[in-house]
Amino acid sequence: MKRSVVLGTGSFLPRRELTNADLERMVDTSDEWIASRTGIRTRRIAGKGEENYRLAAGAARRALEMAGLEAGEIDLIVVATMTPHMTMPSCACFVQAEIGAQRAFAYDLNAACSGYLFALDMADKYVLNKPDMNILVIGSETLSARVNWQDRNTCILFGDGAGACVLSGRDHGGGIIDSQLFTDGNLWELLYMHSPKSLNPDLVQPGDDHGYIRMTGRDVFKFAVRAMEESVTALLQRNGIATKDIGLMIPHQANIRIIHKLMERLGVPEEKVYINVNKYGNTSAASIPIALDEANRQGLIRRGDLVLFCAFGGGFTWGSMLMCW
Ligand code: ACO
């Protein structure tokens, strides 16, 4: 049976680094506070010529190169993002033009920080239906454009970047095994970002403040840990897989304390968890594919290994996915 397998991975980060020391000069904070509460030491911030779609295209080119495919062989491009540089056309349309993937149809998907898992899950369904499809699944964000740089509660947390993989159908025994996705729209007010202000006065949202990202950190923290733990536990159970059988866990990189709590509750040892939140901060939908690409290029995943992904984000949205490499 043909399953969706990853033929290649890629990532692309903006050049400019913004360290905790830099942030100390911008808001009332300290390297010690940021590092101890979040694990973040530095993050990348997009500059001129590094719009979201250009980061996405950079990651896509690297994934294509590893897959040994030309852009013209791609059938579909899905970009998981909540920070496209334009509302229309989608980021995916710009990527299609930028890399020259003429035969691909392309669109964006927004499930906040869980976006990459939602996009992979959807791409998997296309491949199961048509195994010959080559799909570029990209997670790309420029959250720096939507952060209030005067708000120390949020501006220390986020970073920019992109990651991608090429997915296609193969029957070599590996591939996506199962996934589980969830949404609870009732909890949206704990983590949100307004759209650009409505030009229809009747539709202006109360509290709209330039579309900055907003959150109630402690509630998000608690819900995120519990939701990801429950999702992973249920996914492993229904596939008859024990935690000790996991080769590598790649969680969404929001905060080291969320990751540590999750590891503790699931009983996954540190050496089996890929962590890079210290280098890039929370890159939302880009965090899982950037981590996957780094782990892959470092040789941390071998053919036959079980890879476990889990994510949590605004919506709330969350879920997990199991893949055999
Ligand atoms: N530097 C110094 N002090 C700060 C900073 C800062 N950057 N930010 C907040 N503080 C202060 C607060 O003002 C508060 O001061 P007060 O007690 O005088 O009022 C104090 O630190 C404690 O604030 P809390 O918000 O209670 O701090 P907490 O320990 O909860 O840590 C944090 C905040 C890191 C945001 C935490 O709640 C968290 O990790 N939440 C998870 C949210 C998250 O990761 N969101 C990302 C998006 S969602 C996702 O991707 C899963």
Side-chain angles (χ1 to χ4, degrees):
M1 177 199 156
K2 286 194 176 172
R3 281 210 181 119
S4 306
V5 307
V6 173
L7 302 183
T9 60
S11 54
F12 197 88
L13 281 305
R15 285 178 295 274
R16 184 182 156 212
E17 248 188 84
L18 185 75
T19 65
N20 290 351
D22 295 327
L23 281 164
E24 282 177 0
R25 292 187 282 275
M26 295 163 63
V27 288
D28 181 13
T29 191
S30 66
D31 174 47
E32 196 282 321
W33 195 97
I34 301 171
S36 63
R37 304 285 174 122
T38 70
I40 302 166
R41 294 275 178 194
T42 185
R43 71 283 293 142
R44 301 293 183 90
I45 301 295
K48 276 198 190 341
E50 293 179 323
E51 291 85 358
N52 186 334
Y53 77 94
R54 289 208 164 111
L55 303 181
R61 285 192 192 98
R62 288 177 181 170
L64 283 169
E65 191 185 7
M66 188 187 285
L69 289 179
E70 300 292 330
E73 295 174 272
I74 292 296
D75 301 290
L76 164 62
I77 301 170
V78 186
V79 180
T81 189
M82 59 173 174
T83 52
H85 79 297
M86 288 174 74
T87 303
M88 180 190 72
S90 69
C91 185
C93 293
F94 282 96
V95 174
Q96 189 246 21
E98 183 81 0
I99 65 172
Q102 284 314 317
R103 94 173 186 211
F105 65 107
Y107 57 90
D108 288 359
L109 177 156
N110 178 354
C113 300
S114 311
Y116 200 70
L117 282 197
F118 280 56
L120 265 185
D121 178 77
M122 196 179 55
D124 177 44
K125 300 327 187 245
Y126 277 104
V127 170
L128 292 178
N129 194 33
K130 280 191 185 173
D132 292 344
M133 278 182 88
N134 295 319
I135 306 182
L136 256 173
V137 189
I138 305 172
S140 186
E141 301 279 15
T142 45
L143 278 151
S144 60
R146 305 304 299 278
V147 155
N148 178 354
W149 289 102
Q150 265 94 56
D151 176 15
R152 67 178 184 172
N153 291 291
T154 51
C155 75
I156 55 143
L157 295 172
F158 300 100
D160 302 335
C165 77
V166 180
L167 209 67
S168 191
R170 297 288 185 276
D171 56 5
H172 64 45
I176 294 177
I177 297 170
D178 197 6
S179 56
Q180 233 190 358
L181 306 176
F182 301 90
T183 296
D184 188 344
N186 292 307
L187 300 174
W188 71 268
E189 274 180 297
L190 295 174
L191 181 56
Y192 64 89
M193 192 164 81
H194 279 290
S195 292
K197 210 170 201 121
S198 169
L199 298 177
N200 174 346
D202 291 335
L203 297 181
V204 171
Q205 297 295 305
D208 186 350
D209 54 0
H210 305 95
Y212 294 140
I213 193 158
R214 297 252 168 208
M215 69 173 183
T216 310
R218 288 202 173 179
D219 293 339
V220 173
F221 189 104
K222 283 188 229 150
F223 198 98
V225 172
R226 200 178 65 237
M228 284 191 283
E229 180 202 354
E230 286 175 5
S231 164
V232 166
T233 305
L235 188 71
L236 293 181
Q237 261 172 17
R238 83 176 182 201
N239 287 281
I241 290 168
T243 312
K244 67 172 176 38
D245 299 329
I246 300 301
L248 190 69
M249 176 166 125
I250 302 184
H252 168 49
Q253 310 282 317
N255 181 312
I256 196 69
R257 291 188 304 148
I258 293 182
I259 296 174
H260 281 160
K261 274 255 175 296
L262 199 58
M263 282 162 41
E264 190 186 299
R265 292 200 189 180
L266 292 169
V268 182
E270 183 137 18
E271 64 273 15
K272 286 195 173 185
V273 182
Y274 193 82
I275 297 173
N276 63 7
V277 67
N278 54 315
K279 293 193 290 184
Y280 306 130
N282 181 349
T283 57
S284 186
S287 91
I288 285 181
I290 293 172
L292 175 64
D293 182 49
E294 287 192 347
N296 189 23
R297 285 174 194 265
Q298 288 167 27
L300 299 178
I301 321 174
R302 286 178 302 271
R303 175 67 66 86
D305 280 355
L306 282 175
V307 185
L308 172 69
F309 304 98
C310 57
F312 182 87
F316 285 154
T317 54
W318 68 98
S320 53
M321 174 178 278
L322 254 179
M323 186 185 281
C324 177
W325 201 249

